Amino acid sequence: MDPLYSIRLDRAARPFYLDLMCGRFTQQLSWAEIHRLADLIGQPRNLAPRFNIAPTTPIEVVRAGEAGNELVPMRWGLVPSWWKKPLGELRSTFNARAETVTEKPMFRAAFKARRCIIPASGIYEWTGRAGAKTPHYFLAPSGEPLALAGLWEHWRDPESDASFDSATIIVGAASKWMSSFHDRMPIILEWSSTREWLRGANPVAHLHPAPDDALREWVVSTRVNRTGFRDEDQTLIDPINGT
């Protein structure tokens, strides 16, 4: 079995994910659209839609390859190449803070040489008190995928010699509009800046909040509060309560 797909979510950590940005998102992608937006190479693939993606599960990632940009599956939750302990001892690495990504040992090497884009159809965030949180779904007004800034690494298990690629989403301060929901948000790139982000010499210039009009939002069912629940169910993103 591919080690990337043999990794399973730590169920005991579920409540922790609900308090972080970005801890859940969707990928309802077509190869043709990502090929157009990111100038992909490689053979087209059928991409299964997913509506409740949780950390440690596989996600689709755009990275720079030797011949051009490629779309590859990776574990969501970065594992640095130097990690020698069991994966269960790795702290949550599905997000990297923009303010410290250039200096933290967990992320700085990847930020320098292995940046990526994580295409997301939308992201979830919660408001309200613990135990009674309301889920919100955020997406681009145009409906096209968001280009979330990310980092990737290749890791090999020193005991089994199994290996896989993994990725993290970079998050920074919220825009003024987003701050009414959360004080953090993913770094959202323009698709036109794909080459600069993946291969450019000044990636720090991209680590700023998205414009206030970059996202729209509606409330969705609390069914999405269950991590990994009905990942294939498109109705999880349907608006409720007239939103």
Side-chain angles (χ1 to χ4, degrees), residues 14-238:
R14 284 180 176 178
F16 180 63
Y17 296 142
L18 297 184
D19 293 325
L20 293 177
M21 170 63 87
C22 166
R24 208 87 62 74
F25 70 104
T26 67
Q27 288 189 320
Q28 186 181 14
L29 311 171
S30 75
W31 175 272
E33 185 171 40
I34 302 303
H35 181 276
R36 173 178 60 83
L37 293 171
D39 193 24
L40 294 181
I41 61 168
Q43 292 298 313
R45 289 193 285 123
N46 290 324
L47 305 175
R50 298 179 61 200
F51 300 96
N52 196 6
I53 299 174
T56 75
T57 62
I59 59 174
E60 298 290 344
V61 176
V62 176
R63 70 178 177 189
E66 291 185 3
N69 297 338
E70 54 189 17
L71 186 71
V72 295
M74 298 188 186
R75 174 192 192 266
W76 184 20
L78 189 137
V79 184
S81 60
W82 46 261
W83 186 258
K84 304 299 182 184
K85 299 179 182 179
L87 288 181
E89 297 182 26
L90 184 68
R91 66 179 178 83
S92 297
T93 55
F94 54 90
N95 285 169
R97 294 178 65 90
E99 298 86 347
T100 58
V101 72
T102 63
E103 58 191 57
K104 291 292 185 180
M106 192 70 68
F107 305 116
R108 63 190 180 194
F111 184 78
K112 182 179 294 186
R114 286 174 294 280
R115 297 181 295 277
C116 64
I117 292 174
I118 299 171
S121 303
I123 59 178
Y124 294 105
E125 185 48 49
W126 284 257
T127 58
R129 59 182 176 82
K133 288 186 175 292
T134 298
H136 303 254
Y137 187 62
F138 299 83
L139 68 164
S142 66
E144 78 174 11
L146 301 167
L148 306 185
L151 311 173
W152 73 276
E153 282 275 17
H154 182 76
W155 180 77
R156 185 175 297 278
D157 188 327
E159 295 187 0
S160 69
D161 206 38
S163 64
F164 60 81
D165 295 331
S166 61
T168 186
I169 295 172
I170 302 177
V171 298
S175 65
K176 182 179 179 181
W177 179 85
M178 188 68 187
S179 63
S180 63
F181 302 97
H182 202 282
D183 61 357
R184 310 286 292 171
M185 70 184 299
I187 299 298
I188 302 174
L189 306 169
E190 297 288 343
W191 283 105
S192 59
S193 65
T194 295
R195 181 175 181 81
E196 293 177 19
W197 171 251
L198 295 179
R199 298 175 173 81
N202 187 25
V204 174
H206 297 276
L207 301 182
H208 53 76
D212 284 340
D213 61 357
L215 297 171
R216 57 186 174 123
E217 165 273 342
W218 57 69
V219 174
V220 294
S221 170
T222 55
R223 290 180 300 139
V224 79
N225 290 359
R226 294 175 58 185
T227 301
F229 176 72
R230 298 179 67 89
D231 194 16
E232 76 292 345
D233 185 358
Q234 186 171 356
T235 67
L236 289 179
I237 65 171
D238 287 349

